[in-house]
Amino acid sequence: MKRAGKGFLLILGLVLLNIAAAPTDEFDQIAAAMRIGDAKSIAIHFDHNVDIKTDDKSITYSKNQAELVLREFFQHNTPRNFIIIHRGSSAKGAKYIIGTLETAQGIYRSFVRVKELDGKQLIEEMSFEKQ
């Protein structure tokens, strides 16, 4: 009986740890996906059109095109880590994060801006500047 109780406590502890570690908002989910280069999980949060800036060029893409561009970016810049260094919002209500994307090919200062539409936060802009 004591063994069953210890097993239950171990399982309960693991479940609580997973709940505590789970991403809590869109930015946490985006950051978790950026850490592993998961373009598909990030694209879930894309607006219909997304501005993506890489290598000093900024282009507006459709949601599907933006996912492909992001996937290609991650293929050429294999992510190792992503850290959110600042969260903010504008006077007009747009929310954003600034972070550091560490890749095998270098460090990128990253910016993600979202807007609220029908109660959801949707990415409308992403940028990656090599440091």
Side-chain angles (χ1 to χ4, degrees):
M1 189 71 172
K2 288 182 180 181
R3 282 186 155 174
K6 286 181 182 180
F8 173 77
L9 289 176
L10 178 64
I11 291 171
L12 178 63
L14 290 172
V15 168
L16 292 175
L17 181 62
N18 282 337
I19 290 170
T24 57
D25 67 10
E26 285 85 358
F27 284 135
D28 290 333
Q29 294 169 11
I30 293 164
M34 296 248 310
R35 282 184 194 99
I36 60 172
D38 186 354
K40 185 174 185 143
S41 291
I42 295 169
I44 291 169
H45 302 281
F46 282 166
D47 195 4
H48 296 293
N49 294 303
V50 182
D51 294 332
I52 297 182
K53 180 181 180 185
T54 58
D55 302 323
D56 295 326
K57 66 178 177 184
S58 181
I59 300 176
T60 301
Y61 298 98
S62 70
K63 182 176 183 170
N64 292 336
Q65 290 173 318
E67 180 180 349
L68 295 173
V69 168
L70 191 58
R71 182 177 296 131
E72 185 175 313
F73 176 79
F74 287 145
Q75 287 173 349
H76 290 79
N77 301 281
T78 308
R80 291 186 176 161
N81 196 13
F82 179 78
I83 299 169
I84 296 173
I85 57 175
H86 180 72
R87 294 173 186 247
S89 60
S90 71
K92 294 183 180 182
K95 295 181 181 178
Y96 62 89
I97 56 170
I98 298 170
T100 303
L101 177 65
E102 179 185 339
T103 74
Q105 292 69 30
I107 306 284
Y108 289 85
R109 182 174 176 87
S110 305
F111 176 79
V112 179
R113 182 170 41 101
V114 300
K115 69 176 182 181
E116 186 170 336
L117 183 64
D118 298 330
K120 291 179 66 178
Q121 300 291 329
L122 300 175
I123 297 172
E124 60 181 1
E125 180 183 354
M126 296 185 82
S127 69
F128 302 93
E129 290 182 34
K130 194 158 190 176
Q131 300 293 292

